[in-house]
């Protein structure tokens, strides 16, 4: 099994003749200084799923969700078209409140929504499959601030946005470029989406997400995708995936519905996601939260199928608890892990791909709290069988900040998850009986042929952890993990090389952006 690393590679061939030895050493030093990126494919899981609900428990949650939909209903605000679509489908519409006959949204979803789909990337080698037994890691999404050891906390800029796109591109276990990796507040609100989408296209060739802050911005994203992939290809294939958040509890607002309709009509994927802080936006109990989440997803995902049957849609949930003393969000606690694992079960029963989790924490800096809370979110995310993992790397401060050091620290953990999901190698080499026969009792395996043949890839090699002696660690500056991460992300950006892009496509994108920007004045509200 190959050992995923945030940066890895091999040396070029040595010079011929008498310079061969010296050339080989120089090549190895050069490779260490500027290694070649070895991207990893999206995960095809080879380990069992973790489940927390039996058949009786799952059926109970589904009945309760149907009760919420039938008796309480869901608000659909500022969108007459969606109200009409649901009325025509047989729902009870009174004002902006829709109540659903039991089983109606589920039947609509299961009739046409795909169980899995392919999201095509600009580079076909980066294309991913979302659903089934696959897992795709994407970076942090949404923070208005950034944090680094050098500058502390400040508002994010478009330069930061480009940096995080480049870091995601440089990270082998990051399969996706993501979306709003940070919010570039130095650009006008009504135009920044153009630069953000362009950055994903130009500085990465991995799949990416669309803008959802206004239906017109979603439409701009689709048009830019058509420039890259071709209009006919976009009509028939999925090249965008976008985050559509419910305004929990039990509200879908006009902005999100407008973006949802744009993407669904264009055959592009929507991640229909209740945003839950349990105790504030849902009941304090796991079972109550699950029933509400399922009700909101059924209503939202069903809407995509009314807009365009067969449009790809993902069952999403963002679930956190809150401090009952202060009301602040808390992460890495047991209850949200139970929610995400059970929600994954509900998604599989519904027949939709599933999104949740990531490397979430409430810590303001990349410290022990950040590490523990992120690990307690990321591991259940993988074990639950999550298909699309947003916030895989970089999340700090409850999602208010994208951390440079945190990004590469989390990326190291994503590499570990990639190995864990690969399961146990049961091949002849994996069984290692030849090694056991060769070594025999009382000796060691360090020099045996099997060890020599496998030592480079036998174990995951962390890019962040220091496993040297105390004396060596001290002699190298006594750096902690965050300080080592600081050096790593700077080296990655220094080594970054943009992937190739067709000059005609790039020119057409820039022309489109220039025309859109010239069409209206800047707005910062």
């Amino acid at each position: 099994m190959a050992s995923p690393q945030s940066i890895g590679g091999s040396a070029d061939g040595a010079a011929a003749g008498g310079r061969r030895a010296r050339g080989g050493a120089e090549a190895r030093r050069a490779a260490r200084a500027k290694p070649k990126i070895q991207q990893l494919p999206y995960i095809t899981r080879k380990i069992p799923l973790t489940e927390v609900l039996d058949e009786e428990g799952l059926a109970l949650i589904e009945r309760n969700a149907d009760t919420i939909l039938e008796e309480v209903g869901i608000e659909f605000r500022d969108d007459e078209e969606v109200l009409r679509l649901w009325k025509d489908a047989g729902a009870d519409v009174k004002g902006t409140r829709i109540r659903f006959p039991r089983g109606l949204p589920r039947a609509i979803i299961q009739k046409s929504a795909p169980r899995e789909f392919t999201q095509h990337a600009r580079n076909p080698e980066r294309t991913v499959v979302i659903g089934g037994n696959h897992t795709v890691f994407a970076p942090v999404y949404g923070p208005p601030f950034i944090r680094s050891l050098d500058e502390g906390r400040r508002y994010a800029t478009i330069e930061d946005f480009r940096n995080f796109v480049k870091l995601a591109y440089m990270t082998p276990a990051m399969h996706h470029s993501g979306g709003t990796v940070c919010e570039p507040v130095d650009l006008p609100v009504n135009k920044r989406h153009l630069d953000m989408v362009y950055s994903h296209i130009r500085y990465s060739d991995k799949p990416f997400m669309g803008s959802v802050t206004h239906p017109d911005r979603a439409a701009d994203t689709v048009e830019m995708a058509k420039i890259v992939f071709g209009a006919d290809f976009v009509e028939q294939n999925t090249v965008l995936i976008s985050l559509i958040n419910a305004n929990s509890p039990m509200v879908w607002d006009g902005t999100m519905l407008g973006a949802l309709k744009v993407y669904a009509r264009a055959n592009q994927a929507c991640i229909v996601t209740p945003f839950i802080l349990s105790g504030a936006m849902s009941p304090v109990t796991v079972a109550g939260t699950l029933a509400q989440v399922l009700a909101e997803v059924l209503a939202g995902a069903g809407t995509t199928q009314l807009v365009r049957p067969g449009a790809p849609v993902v069952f999403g949930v963002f679930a956190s608890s809150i401090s009952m003393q202060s009301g602040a969000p808390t992460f890495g606690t047991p209850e949200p892990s139970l929610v995400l694992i059970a929600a994954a079960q509900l998604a599989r029963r519904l027949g939709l791909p599933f999104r949740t989790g990531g490397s979430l924490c409430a810590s303001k800096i990349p410290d022990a709290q950040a590490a523990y809370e992120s690990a307690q979110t990321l591991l259940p995310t993988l074990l639950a069988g999550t298909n699309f993992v947003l916030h895989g790397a970089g999340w700090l401060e409850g999602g208010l900040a994208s951390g440079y050091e945190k990004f590469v620290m989390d990326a190291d953990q994503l590499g570990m998850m990639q190995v864990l999901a690969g399961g146990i190698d049961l091949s002849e080499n994996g069984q290692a009986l030849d090694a056991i026969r060769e070594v025999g009792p009382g000796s060691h395996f360090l020099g045996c042929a099997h060890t020599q043949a496998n030592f480079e890839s036998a174990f995951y090699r962390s890019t962040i952890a220091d496993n040297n002696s105390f004396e060596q660690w001290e002699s190298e500056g006594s750096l902690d993990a965050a300080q080592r991460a600081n050096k790593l992300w700077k080296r990655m950006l220094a080594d970054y090389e943009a992937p190739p892009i067709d000059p005609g496509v790039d020119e057409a994108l820039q022309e489109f952006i220039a025309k859109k920007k010239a069409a209206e004045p800047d707005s910062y509200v």
Side-chain angles (χ1 to χ4, degrees), residues 189-232:
V189 171
N190 60 332
K191 300 177 183 179
R192 64 179 60 152
H193 67 287
L194 298 166
D195 295 273
M196 294 159 70
V197 173
Y198 177 76
S199 295
H200 283 296
I201 295 170
R202 181 64 191 91
Y203 301 114
S204 178
D205 60 6
K206 296 181 180 182
F208 61 95
M209 303 177 72
S211 176
V212 297
T213 53
H214 191 281
D216 290 344
R217 297 165 198 166
D220 286 343
T221 306
V222 173
E223 289 306 309
M224 293 175 74
K226 289 178 179 178
I227 292 172
V228 175
F229 294 94
D232 290 342

Side-chain angles (χ1 to χ4, degrees), residues 209-410:
M209 303 177 72
S211 176
V212 297
T213 53
H214 191 281
D216 290 344
R217 297 165 198 166
D220 286 343
T221 306
V222 173
E223 289 306 309
M224 293 175 74
K226 289 178 179 178
I227 292 172
V228 175
F229 294 94
D232 290 342
F233 189 87
V234 171
E235 173 64 22
Q236 299 299 324
N237 298 276
T238 299
V239 301
L240 297 166
I241 188 169
S242 300
L243 180 61
I244 308 295
N245 278 335
N247 193 352
S248 301
M250 294 167 286
V251 173
W252 285 101
D253 64 45
T255 298
M256 290 289 100
L257 290 172
L260 177 150
K261 290 190 297 182
V262 168
Y263 288 119
R265 281 203 176 96
N267 195 35
Q268 303 308 302
C270 294
I271 309 172
V272 174
T273 302
F275 186 92
I276 299 294
L277 301 179
S278 297
M281 297 170 174
S282 76
V284 296
T285 62
V286 171
T289 294
L290 285 167
Q292 181 187 311
V293 162
L294 181 56
E296 293 176 1
V297 169
L298 286 166
T303 301
T304 68
Q305 300 309 294
L306 294 180
V307 171
R308 177 168 173 165
V313 59
V314 177
F315 182 133
V317 61
F318 179 96
S320 169
S321 52
I322 63 169
S323 167
M324 301 309 293
Q325 289 69 45
S326 67
T330 56
F331 299 93
T333 53
E335 295 83 4
S337 292
L338 293 171
V339 170
L340 74 85
I341 294 170
Q345 294 181 254
L346 293 166
R348 287 191 289 274
R349 283 166 65 93
L350 183 57
L352 293 180
F354 181 63
R355 169 259 158 160
T356 193
S359 300
L360 310 182
C361 67
S363 183
K364 316 307 178 285
I365 60 174
D367 60 2
Q369 179 185 343
Y372 278 120
E373 291 178 351
S374 294
Q376 289 293 337
T377 309
L378 183 60
L379 186 58
T381 297
L382 180 77
L383 296 178
T386 305
N387 302 119
F388 189 82
V389 181
L390 203 53
H391 313 305
W395 171 290
L396 277 174
E397 200 183 330
L400 288 176
S402 295
Y404 278 93
E405 289 79 23
K406 180 67 158 45
F407 190 98
V408 294
M409 294 167 75
D410 290 339

Side-chain angles (χ1 to χ4, degrees), residues 28-49:
R28 286 190 292 274
R29 284 194 292 271
R32 286 193 293 270
K34 191 174 182 180
K36 180 182 177 182
I37 301 299
Q38 295 179 330
Q39 298 287 357
L40 296 168
Y42 60 88
I43 292 171
T44 299
R45 192 176 53 256
K46 298 178 181 177
I47 56 175
L49 295 164

